[in-house]
Amino acid sequence: MAATWPDARFVFLRRHPAAVARSWHEAVPDRTADDAATRVLKYMEAMEEAYAEAGGHVLRYEDLTADPAAALDGICRFLGLEYEPGMLDYGSSLEGAVLGGGFGDWNAKIRSGHVQPDRPAPTPDEIPDALRRMCREWGYL
């Protein structure tokens, strides 16, 4: 993408790796927890490669859900835009939108039209072995 759009600025959304795996497992219950952990790790590793190559703004999901205004203001500053409080009220933009399964939330939280609080983070003993290294690298352990 950076080669196609050389002036692009990238925002990298990070979330606790075990929370992402938990969410994937819950979304498709016949997917094992280990399979979910292995699959999300591949996405996270690819994201880290992209960040190393292109750089950009890192936003932690937990920061976004704890203080959406501050998180969005940080993105706006990075992009050279002026923050407006109405940016957090995205509900009207979902009217008639078709949201389906994929990487991310497509259920009640996103359809609420407002950033929702996150669930409690997984405890250290709930972190799959496959994700421990990424949890350390991203500051979750």
Side-chain angles (χ1 to χ4, degrees):
M1 288 191 331
T4 303
W5 294 285
D7 296 330
R9 289 171 279 174
F10 298 94
V11 175
F12 293 86
L13 179 62
R14 290 182 182 168
R15 185 178 185 196
H16 191 301
V20 175
R22 175 178 62 195
S23 179
W24 263 45
H25 176 60
E26 290 171 355
V28 182
D30 62 332
R31 179 185 294 147
T32 68
D34 287 339
D35 182 48
T38 301
R39 291 180 70 177
V40 300
L41 179 61
K42 290 178 184 179
Y43 282 97
M44 292 171 187
E45 290 172 338
M47 188 171 74
E48 283 303 286
E49 288 177 26
Y51 179 74
E53 185 174 317
H57 179 79
V58 174
L59 171 64
R60 289 172 59 118
Y61 178 83
E62 296 80 6
D63 295 338
L64 174 63
T65 60
D67 190 350
L72 189 54
D73 182 60
I75 293 171
C76 287
R77 281 186 276 113
F78 170 71
L79 297 174
L81 302 171
E82 188 172 326
Y83 168 75
E84 297 177 19
M87 292 174 168
L88 290 172
D89 183 16
Y90 62 86
S92 61
S93 66
L94 292 179
E95 194 170 308
V98 176
L99 302 174
F103 198 72
D105 189 346
W106 60 90
N107 292 314
K109 280 187 175 182
I110 193 79
R111 292 180 186 282
S112 74
H114 300 281
V115 177
Q116 299 295 310
D118 195 13
R119 294 189 285 179
T123 62
D125 62 313
E126 294 175 313
I127 299 172
D129 289 340
L131 297 175
R132 288 191 170 279
R133 177 186 53 82
M134 191 61 71
C135 285
R136 279 191 296 279
E137 288 178 16
W138 285 4
Y140 289 100
L141 261 180

